Amino acid sequence: MQYQELGDSGVEVSEVGFGAWVVGTDWWGDRSEDDALEMIRYAVEQGITYFDTGDVYGHGRSEELVGEALAEFRDEVTIATKVGYDFYNNPQAGHGELPKEMDPEYLRDAVEQSLDRLGVDSVDVLQLHNADVDEITPDVLELLDELEEEGLIDATGLALGPSIGWLAEGDLAIEEEFDSVQLVWNVLEQEVGNHFLETIEETGSSTSLIPRVPHSSGILNEQVTPDTELGEGDHRGFRPDEWYETGWEKLEKLRFLERDGERTMGQASIAWLLSHDPVATVTPTFRTKGDIDEWAAASDVPKLSAEELARVEELYENDFDIDRDDGMDSLRSSVDGADIESAGLDKLAAD
């Protein structure tokens, strides 16, 4: 495992992190809490030190389990959490998005409750959870500065989603020198990540990028195949059938990234993200210890060559020569595509 600094915060993260949205929830299939605790501890044994949770996951239960599992490793790991969804006063309706609350007074209280659940005096990385651009006010920025000065947090971040767009929000975070921006980014979904790379280069910002969903909801690691039936409650079911149908065709055109005995497709998908300098850590969704064994090793597999990177770029620019809609149009932006279109990007990955 290799390690990098998050922004210029001095906070160190493993190049492969642990996305704890699967802990304390059933969004990616059922698992017992004992299994979740064992998975987290096993990840530490494999060199993973970055653990990313959020207060809304399981309405606080994810934080409690992460805190319990990592208590004995506290000095060895980096813990990130997110605040901004008001689950305290609103019931969860399936996978629906809860009302957000970005008032500084609310955020401070949410941070203090997160610290209690995690069982820590400070959190390494605090991320605003899906904040709209007009919610990242001077008062909110001042609060983040205060929390750092008080020693309650060490680094700041913005976690984008659940849509795939949100360009204006990420641009603002980069311009304000947030230490990290978390986003959906993978070989099959490149537009937003590529846009932020340009913003970082243009501004000279030190902001690090944290890609999630590196396997495009199971396509690139082949955990979702044409024969897969997703269980009830499995969060991957939000994607339309057309997404998977085009994705399986694209996967076959990416087989050149595999190297027998040296690099699997699942590892290559992470290694491709890590080939971009601003990427500090990648957070795949681990379902088994086997996933951890394979993907934690992605930090050390042979790096993608210049020729491989160029071929991936060419395939993406030509929509993998697939002239069909992937069904994801309505999911790509928080503002119905206005932010995508204003940046001069095509809203469709395959059109």
Side-chain angles (χ1 to χ4, degrees):
M1 180 67 68
Q2 306 300 311
Y3 302 87
Q4 296 196 37
E5 181 182 5
L6 200 65
D8 60 3
S9 66
V11 173
E12 183 183 81
V13 295
S14 52
E15 286 193 336
V16 179
F18 191 112
W21 42 85
V22 299
V23 175
T25 74
D26 62 357
W27 293 357
W28 286 73
D30 290 330
R31 74 185 67 239
S32 73
E33 292 189 348
D34 286 342
D35 287 342
L37 293 170
E38 186 177 355
M39 287 270 288
I40 294 171
R41 291 167 180 147
Y42 186 75
V44 176
E45 294 174 6
Q46 306 313 307
I48 293 174
T49 60
Y50 178 70
F51 293 84
D52 190 316
T53 186
D55 66 354
V56 74
Y57 302 144
H59 287 200
R61 189 56 181 152
S62 178
E63 288 181 324
E64 291 172 346
L65 291 170
V66 168
E68 179 182 347
L70 295 178
E72 62 185 296
F73 308 109
R74 182 64 188 102
D75 294 337
E76 306 168 33
V77 298
T78 296
I79 298 175
T81 195
K82 311 177 189 74
V83 293
Y85 278 114
D86 184 7
F87 63 91
Y88 297 102
N89 301 301
N90 298 279
Q92 182 77 49
H95 294 160
E97 188 172 6
L98 288 166
K100 285 183 293 181
E101 180 56 77
M102 297 292 168
D103 177 79
E105 184 176 349
Y106 170 85
L107 292 174
R108 175 177 284 278
D109 183 61
V111 169
E112 291 173 353
Q113 295 196 59
S114 287
L115 294 176
D116 286 342
R117 284 189 292 267
L118 288 164
V120 297
D121 295 325
S122 66
V123 68
D124 300 299
V125 187
L126 178 70
Q127 301 164 92
L128 299 180
H129 204 170
N130 299 345
D132 294 334
V133 67
D134 58 0
E135 293 172 329
I136 307 174
T137 64
D139 287 345
V140 169
L141 296 174
E142 182 179 353
L143 171 68
L144 295 177
D145 288 339
E146 290 174 359
L147 293 173
E148 282 197 67
E149 291 170 3
E150 294 167 19
L152 297 180
I153 67 174
D154 293 323
T156 58
L158 176 64
L160 301 177
S163 305
I164 300 175
W166 299 64
L167 294 181
E169 288 76 9
D171 283 346
L172 176 61
I174 291 168
E175 291 161 5
E176 291 290 342
E177 296 272 5
F178 276 49
D179 295 301
S180 67
V181 170
Q182 183 183 138
L183 69 154
V184 173
W185 188 14
N186 56 65
V187 160
L188 303 184
E189 298 167 283
Q190 296 187 30
E191 288 189 340
V192 175
N194 291 342
H195 175 81
F196 290 151
L197 290 176
E198 293 178 2
T199 303
I200 289 171
E201 183 175 0
E202 291 169 359
T203 61
S205 174
S206 62
T207 300
S208 292
L209 299 178
I210 302 178
R212 62 185 179 90
V213 200
H215 297 125
S216 198
S217 297
I219 291 177
L220 294 169
N221 57 8
E222 299 184 81
Q223 288 188 348
V224 177
T225 71
D227 298 323
T228 302
E229 292 186 14
L230 297 176
E232 185 177 353
D234 193 314
H235 189 58
R236 292 170 295 182
F238 88 91
R239 291 184 183 264
D241 291 343
E242 296 92 333
W243 169 258
Y244 289 107
E245 290 163 3
T246 57
W248 293 321
E249 293 182 47
K250 295 171 184 177
L251 172 64
E252 294 308 314
K253 297 185 179 185
L254 291 166
R255 292 289 183 191
F256 66 91
L257 294 177
E258 296 176 306
R259 291 191 186 180
D260 187 31
E262 290 189 310
R263 191 170 66 199
T264 67
M265 182 61 70
Q267 292 170 334
S269 302
I270 295 172
W272 177 80
L273 289 164
L274 290 171
S275 71
H276 301 89
D277 288 340
V279 173
T281 181
V282 179
T283 55
T285 300
F286 298 115
R287 299 173 64 85
T288 67
K289 289 183 178 179
D291 291 344
I292 295 174
D293 288 336
E294 179 182 350
W295 303 336
S299 178
D300 295 314
V301 300
K303 296 186 182 302
L304 273 63
S305 67
E307 292 77 12
E308 289 171 322
L309 292 171
R311 189 171 175 187
V312 170
E313 181 178 359
E314 181 180 6
L315 282 169
Y316 191 79
E317 287 178 351
N318 292 292
D319 294 332
F320 294 82
D321 295 320
I322 298 174
D323 189 20
R324 279 192 292 119
D325 186 349
D326 64 9
M328 290 287 285
D329 185 39
S330 64
L331 302 176
R332 283 212 167 82
S333 173
S334 60
V335 287
D336 298 325
D339 53 353
I340 296 283
E341 292 168 3
S342 67
L345 300 176
D346 185 352
K347 196 176 173 189
L348 293 175
D351 184 304

